[in-house]
Amino acid sequence: MLLKNLRPADEYDRFASQALEPWDVLFVTRIRQIARDLPPGALVDIGTATVVVPVRLAADHVLKGWHFIGLDLDETMLEGGRPRIEALGLSDTIELKVGDALDLPFADNSLTMAVSRATLHHLPDKLKSLTEMYRVLQPGGVGLVHDMRRDVAPDLLEKFTQMRASVGYPPTHVEEKVTLEEARALVIEAGLDHCTVVTSPSSGMGALGFEILIKKPLLA
């Protein structure tokens, strides 16, 4: 399952559009880098909430020809993002789907990319979420996870807390996050260490979190 956000869709949308801006830019930039080496295909954003990330991607010329799927367990979050999609004329490019991160509603080997931003820490079975992401990727496909570290530097955590406060959001619950080493251990336990790298920047706002990059072998 994917736990539902405790805040109304409009409040979360304001938070995601404003306070998460620096991390969304990092995330979208990373997806653009990866997509340059892949043929256009289907990309799912797992835990998409109000579909901020797919909208950014669909408006990017680098990702022209791709089909985007915003997946979330909470239908009200998806509906909160629908007016933005319609206003930008992206209804044919972005599909909204209610679905579970631990039981993805896609066939094996069917997607070119599967991405997830700030969702892993919400999931009760993080290992299953990684194996599900791997399952739905086609051979040669890429999975990308960005999430916050529990072992984040105190100064960065304070800056993030201030950014959340600026849009009326309370401090994050650091205890629900995983450390960098725990993320690496998850990958090993999932049996994906042969095709996965876990990294975290040593400085800058990106150091608030980590990246899990899965590259499914062509002969998977």
Side-chain angles (χ1 to χ4, degrees):
M1 64 181 294
L2 175 60
L3 301 184
K4 293 187 177 183
N5 199 291
L6 298 179
R7 295 279 176 146
D10 58 342
E11 288 187 25
Y12 179 83
D13 189 62
R14 186 173 66 254
F15 169 61
S17 300
Q18 299 176 25
L20 290 181
E21 173 79 10
W23 293 280
D24 278 351
V25 170
L26 286 172
F27 192 48
V28 169
T29 298
R30 194 72 176 101
I31 293 170
R32 290 175 84 253
Q33 292 172 343
I34 295 167
R36 288 180 185 277
D37 297 325
L38 296 172
L43 180 154
V44 62
D45 179 34
I46 301 167
T48 194
T50 54
V51 209
V52 172
V53 168
V55 167
R56 288 179 181 268
L57 294 172
D60 195 312
H61 71 279
V62 171
L63 290 146
K64 184 177 181 180
W66 284 73
H67 177 69
F68 303 96
I69 305 161
L71 181 87
D72 205 282
L73 189 64
D74 190 342
E75 188 172 6
T76 62
M77 282 286 172
L78 296 174
E79 290 304 315
R82 192 179 295 278
R84 180 186 293 114
I85 293 171
E86 294 175 348
L88 294 173
L90 297 173
S91 298
D92 292 336
T93 306
I94 301 176
E95 173 186 356
L96 302 183
K97 185 181 286 288
V98 177
D100 192 334
L102 304 185
D103 186 17
L104 293 173
F106 307 106
D108 296 357
N109 309 312
S110 60
L111 303 177
T112 307
M113 287 191 73
V115 305
S116 174
R117 191 255 302 135
T119 296
L120 183 70
H121 67 270
H122 288 299
L123 302 175
D125 191 338
K126 297 171 178 57
L127 187 151
K128 181 67 181 300
S129 73
L130 295 179
T131 57
E132 273 293 280
M133 180 177 279
Y134 182 85
R135 177 185 67 79
V136 302
L137 289 174
Q138 63 189 32
V142 177
L144 182 70
V145 175
H146 280 195
D147 211 333
M148 186 176 174
R149 298 172 56 166
R150 190 171 75 246
D151 52 343
V152 62
D155 59 327
L156 282 179
L157 179 59
E158 176 58 26
K159 188 168 184 177
F160 186 48
T161 298
Q162 293 173 2
M163 294 176 75
R164 291 173 68 96
S166 71
V167 290
Y169 250 60
T172 190
H173 295 286
V174 179
E175 65 277 2
E176 69 183 0
K177 314 300 194 279
V178 301
T179 67
L180 183 61
E181 289 309 311
E182 287 170 345
R184 288 173 173 151
L186 271 173
V187 166
I188 293 172
E189 188 177 357
L192 300 178
D193 49 311
H194 67 289
C195 61
T196 304
V197 178
V198 182
T199 57
S200 179
S202 59
S203 62
M205 293 306 291
L208 188 75
F210 58 82
E211 172 180 292
I212 299 175
L213 181 66
I214 303 170
K215 294 184 178 181
K216 191 165 188 176
L218 285 171
L219 301 177

